[in-house]
Amino acid sequence: AQKVTQAQTEISVVEKEDVTLDCVYETRDTTYYLFWYKQPPSGELVFLIRRNSFDEQNEISGRYSWNFQKSTSSFNFTITASQVVDSAVYFCALSDPENTGNQFYFGTGTSLTVIP
Amino acid sequence: DAGITQSPRHKVTETGTPVTLRCHQTENHRYMYWYRQDPGHGLRLIHYSYGVKDTDKGEVSDGYSVSRSKTEDFLLTLESATSSQTSVYFCAISIGTVDNSPLHFGNGTRLTVT
């Protein structure tokens, strides 16, 4: 079974709109870690955030915010007032050390296009 | 900058030839990984290493082998390249003092098998 599901393959928004990228994960561990990465058109993979399973507080960093809900096994990412520079592929990832050691599992990514 | 260098950055090779990709880190971090990225599949783990000569398979390890004889180098070898191994390959390291610290990636190697 897929451990990380990003059901949205592609999303297009007009600049200044808000957009939410969905991530649903699956694990039997009680201790696990969730991550978001950004891959701009230049191709590099950039780490955005790490969250452990015991910290359900939502986090905000500038225009970015993350909503972690254990009840629905989701870790969604919202970009407020999107900008063209936000155009990228975004990956959600899971690490569940009790089950698989130090492996990281990635979703298939969501390609975000922000139209000026 | 996590100090990760992948070489080569681009390679074209013929089916059946052996290929070795190199990942070099400057920080002596324990964990190193090889992923491949393909459209519709995201990033999939090929092999990873948790120390010198300590390696383990990921979800798509068939057709690949790895070696780590020094902390700083992690080599990925395609023993006999096939067209299905055409992909972008990323090396990653796990930095920080706590396991499951975030991965930091190299810039990738684009491999084309003709």
Side-chain angles (χ1 to χ4, degrees):
Chain A
Q2 198 167 3
K3 295 177 80 71
V4 179
T5 301
Q6 295 180 257
Q8 304 153 307
T9 305
E10 296 180 356
I11 301 176
S12 291
V13 298
V14 176
E15 198 170 23
K16 297 184 183 178
E17 288 184 345
D18 299 346
V19 58
T20 295
L21 310 182
D22 297 333
C23 173
V24 174
Y25 61 91
E26 177 184 338
T27 180
R28 293 171 296 179
D29 285 7
T30 55
T31 301
Y32 53 91
Y33 303 83
L34 297 163
F35 307 82
W36 276 96
Y37 286 82
K38 175 182 180 180
Q39 186 177 42
S42 52
E44 72 272 23
L45 286 152
V46 179
F47 164 69
L48 295 178
I49 190 172
R50 170 183 186 256
R51 177 53 52 88
N52 73 58
S53 54
F54 297 106
D55 183 2
E56 288 195 71
Q57 276 193 324
N58 291 331
E59 181 155 343
I60 299 174
S61 176
R63 295 184 297 106
Y64 294 173
S65 62
W66 290 269
N67 182 6
F68 176 33
Q69 291 195 337
K70 290 178 76 170
S71 61
T72 55
S73 296
S74 65
F75 186 43
N76 296 338
F77 174 28
T78 297
I79 302 174
T80 302
S82 59
Q83 300 177 1
V84 172
V85 294
D86 296 325
S87 296
V89 179
Y90 291 87
F91 292 98
C92 180
L94 165 73
S95 178
D96 50 357
E98 295 172 10
N99 187 33
T100 57
N102 220 52
Q103 297 191 43
F104 291 73
Y105 295 90
F106 285 79
T108 52
T110 297
S111 178
L112 174 66
T113 301
V114 180
I115 303 166
Chain B
D1 183 2
I4 308 168
T5 304
Q6 290 186 232
S7 59
R9 293 295 314 279
H10 302 271
K11 186 168 181 68
V12 180
T13 191
E14 293 184 349
T15 298
T17 60
V19 177
T20 295
L21 309 182
R22 180 180 183 238
C23 178
H24 177 79
Q25 61 152 327
T26 59
E27 304 288 335
N28 288 328
H29 294 297
R30 180 182 175 193
Y31 288 92
M32 299 184 75
Y33 303 76
W34 277 107
Y35 283 86
R36 60 178 288 174
Q37 182 178 14
D38 305 287
H41 292 279
L43 292 154
R44 293 181 293 174
L45 181 64
I46 305 171
H47 283 278
Y48 69 105
S49 170
Y50 43 93
V52 173
K53 298 187 179 179
D54 289 325
T55 65
D56 207 347
K57 296 179 179 180
E59 59 183 312
V60 290
S61 59
D62 287 348
Y64 302 94
S65 62
V66 290
S67 66
R68 192 166 178 201
S69 58
K70 298 185 291 184
T71 300
E72 59 265 35
D73 289 325
F74 192 32
L75 305 180
L76 177 70
T77 297
L78 290 66
E79 303 290 348
S80 177
T82 67
S83 58
S84 64
Q85 294 175 312
T86 292
S87 186
V88 180
Y89 291 85
F90 285 97
C91 174
I93 63 174
S94 181
I95 69 175
T97 57
V98 178
D99 286 351
N100 302 100
S101 297
L103 294 180
H104 289 258
F105 288 86
N107 288 327
T109 294
R110 184 172 296 276
L111 176 68
T112 303
V113 183
T114 61

